[in-house]
Every structure is written in structure tokens, then in C-alpha cells.
Amino acid sequence: MPMHQPIKTPCIKVCVVDGQTGHCLGCGRNLGEIARWARFSEAERDQVMTLLPARVAELKALGKLG
């Protein structure tokens, strides 16, 4: 029986979506990405993951993160 690999995720269990940007204060994803994450292909997840550092930097610049 093949073992399943866990899905790669940026989730850090801080699930609060900022009303101004629409991005999660924990991982940087938006609600649509979070909702569809398990159905995304690995390539789609990788594509979103490349966007997250800039989103988190934006949240920090806006004073949303410590």
C-alpha cells in the first residue's frame, strides 16, 4: 500500500484574513487559495508559494504584522 505524502502548505495555524488586503496574516494566501489548496496541483501550489513572501512583506509594511 503506497504511503501518501502530506500536501505542502504554508499554513502556520494563524488563520486571520486581513480585510484590507484579503491575505491571511499567517500564511499570506487569500481565501480562494486556502479553500482550493487541497485541489491545486503541486505546480499550482508552488506558483502561489512564490507569491507569499511579497504578500507577507506587504502586510508587514502596512503594520499588520509584528
Side-chain angles (χ1 to χ4, degrees):
M1 182 170 213
M3 293 183 57
H4 295 283
Q5 294 293 326
I7 293 175
K8 179 174 25 176
T9 179
C11 182
I12 60 168
K13 310 270 190 282
V14 177
C15 304
V16 178
V17 176
D18 174 59
Q20 182 181 357
T21 64
H23 297 136
C24 175
L25 297 180
C27 68
R29 295 178 293 172
N30 63 42
L31 285 175
E33 292 163 347
I34 293 167
R36 294 187 308 271
W37 196 254
R39 294 188 302 277
F40 278 167
S41 67
E42 189 168 341
E44 289 169 316
R45 286 191 289 270
D46 287 343
Q47 182 178 12
V48 172
M49 297 275 278
T50 64
L51 304 173
L52 300 182
R55 292 181 185 176
V56 171
E58 177 188 11
L59 290 166
K60 285 181 182 174
L62 292 170
K64 308 284 183 169
L65 301 175

